[in-house]
Amino acid sequence: MMQPSFPHKSFQILSPLSCLILLIFTSLIAPTLSAQQLAEVDSTAKDNAMTTVPVRVVIIGDSTVCNYPEDRPDRGWGQFFEEQFNDGSLQVVNLAVGGRSTKTFITEGRWEKALNQKPDYILIQFGHNDSHKPGKPESTNASTDYKEYLHRYINESRENGAVPIMVTPMVRRTFNSKGKLYGNLQPYADAMKEVGIELNVPVIDLHASSMQLVKELGPDESTSLASKEGDRTHFNEKGARAMLDLIMQELPSKAPDLAALIKTK
């Protein structure tokens, strides 16, 4: 799917007033200055008049994405996202919260707070809590209201001048007795990709890439990604960074403007 190219707010500005002052100063004072002094004045004036504005990225999602305090073993991929980019080029506001779904993130007023951040980009990952049993406050149906909430996120992101990027939910690391990985989040990943096609939104298919990774690791080795023994959903730092690595592999093709800011390794 061809992805649209969107401008962002990372730019440098030399104001018209600064240009005028520099021109007047140069025409009146320049004859009395040496070439070296004139060059120094010109460079200083430009440096003072130019302002670098970092790209602002808001991340929304659940416990697999959010920030955690240092004294907890859990980690979300969102808390390591900013360090993937050149220093000062990008600012991340990670508003992901554990236990939230596409529905409850809105009903609790968290989506409004995200839009109030005036981001250039919004990364959206939901599905784990949406998949809970019907009747729970956070649950949604992959075929109906889950997609409707995603439509709202996309439309309101664009209305507020932000570029939305969706991230499908990574797999739960749950295997059956024969060593086969369950894919109970597949309907939500598929629904998100359908919305991506319907609204022409970039989608990073973390569900597919994480499934491949976890299958390769297998039931035993995949436990090394967990925040605690027996947890098949949440991550320690190794696991969170593994998910982020998968995201960063797809990001350049989904958001070319952000790709230009990624640190070279």
Side-chain angles (χ1 to χ4, degrees):
M1 178 176 69
M2 182 176 294
Q3 303 299 340
S5 177
F6 297 89
H8 57 70
K9 302 169 191 169
S10 180
F11 49 80
Q12 293 184 319
I13 304 172
L14 185 62
S15 68
L17 179 58
S18 297
C19 291
L20 179 60
I21 293 173
L22 181 61
L23 179 62
I24 295 174
F25 179 84
T26 303
S27 62
L28 295 178
I29 307 299
T32 66
L33 299 177
S34 67
Q36 180 179 353
Q37 290 173 320
L38 184 58
E40 290 174 353
V41 169
D42 181 68
S43 176
T44 300
K46 288 182 179 179
D47 288 343
N48 291 338
M50 296 174 77
T51 303
T52 301
V53 181
V55 176
R56 192 170 181 82
V57 176
V58 164
I59 304 176
I60 63 173
D62 53 36
S63 56
T64 63
V65 186
C66 69
N67 295 338
Y68 289 92
E70 286 295 322
D71 60 354
R72 285 191 57 172
D74 310 79
R75 294 292 182 267
W77 63 258
Q79 65 190 100
F80 304 115
F81 188 74
E82 185 173 323
E83 67 185 46
Q84 305 299 308
F85 297 84
N86 295 323
D87 294 344
S89 67
L90 184 141
Q91 180 185 30
V92 171
V93 181
N94 187 2
L95 298 181
V97 181
R100 273 53 181 189
S101 67
T102 53
K103 176 168 61 177
T104 56
F105 198 86
I106 291 174
T107 58
E108 293 177 0
R110 299 178 186 278
W111 175 232
E112 182 179 0
K113 292 179 181 178
L115 292 176
N116 288 341
Q117 293 290 327
K118 303 299 181 184
D120 300 295
Y121 290 84
I122 302 180
L123 271 63
I124 305 163
Q125 184 207 289
F126 288 106
H128 283 83
N129 299 303
D130 290 81
S131 70
H132 289 173
K133 292 181 179 180
K136 290 196 171 186
E138 69 276 10
S139 68
T140 64
N141 185 299
S143 300
T144 56
D145 51 345
Y146 177 70
K147 294 181 70 174
E148 292 168 3
Y149 285 120
L150 289 179
H151 274 253
R152 177 171 174 178
Y153 285 121
I154 300 310
N155 291 333
E156 293 185 3
S157 294
R158 289 171 168 170
E159 289 170 4
N160 283 268
V163 178
I165 301 173
M166 296 191 292
V167 181
T168 60
M170 72 284 285
V171 295
R172 293 188 175 99
R173 304 176 302 282
T174 306
F175 294 82
N176 64 17
S177 59
K178 296 181 180 180
K180 183 178 180 181
L181 184 67
Y182 286 115
N184 58 351
L185 289 171
Q186 189 69 59
Y188 291 88
D190 290 342
M192 182 175 281
K193 288 186 285 186
E194 289 169 6
V195 172
I197 294 172
E198 292 166 6
L199 299 182
N200 198 23
V201 183
V203 178
I204 294 174
D205 196 356
L206 182 58
H207 185 268
S209 58
S210 64
M211 179 176 288
Q212 182 63 35
L213 173 63
V214 173
K215 281 182 177 179
E216 291 173 357
L217 294 174
D220 296 329
E221 193 175 349
S222 63
T223 61
S224 67
L225 308 179
S227 59
K228 61 183 178 181
E229 185 177 354
D231 192 325
R232 301 293 181 177
T233 300
H234 302 96
F235 298 97
N236 56 22
E237 182 169 340
K238 177 182 177 181
R241 288 189 179 278
M243 295 302 105
L244 180 58
D245 286 345
L246 296 175
I247 290 170
M248 296 304 296
Q249 289 174 22
E250 291 192 50
L251 185 66
S253 64
K254 309 298 182 180
D257 287 348
L258 289 183
L261 306 179
I262 297 174
K263 288 179 179 177
T264 55
K265 297 181 180 181

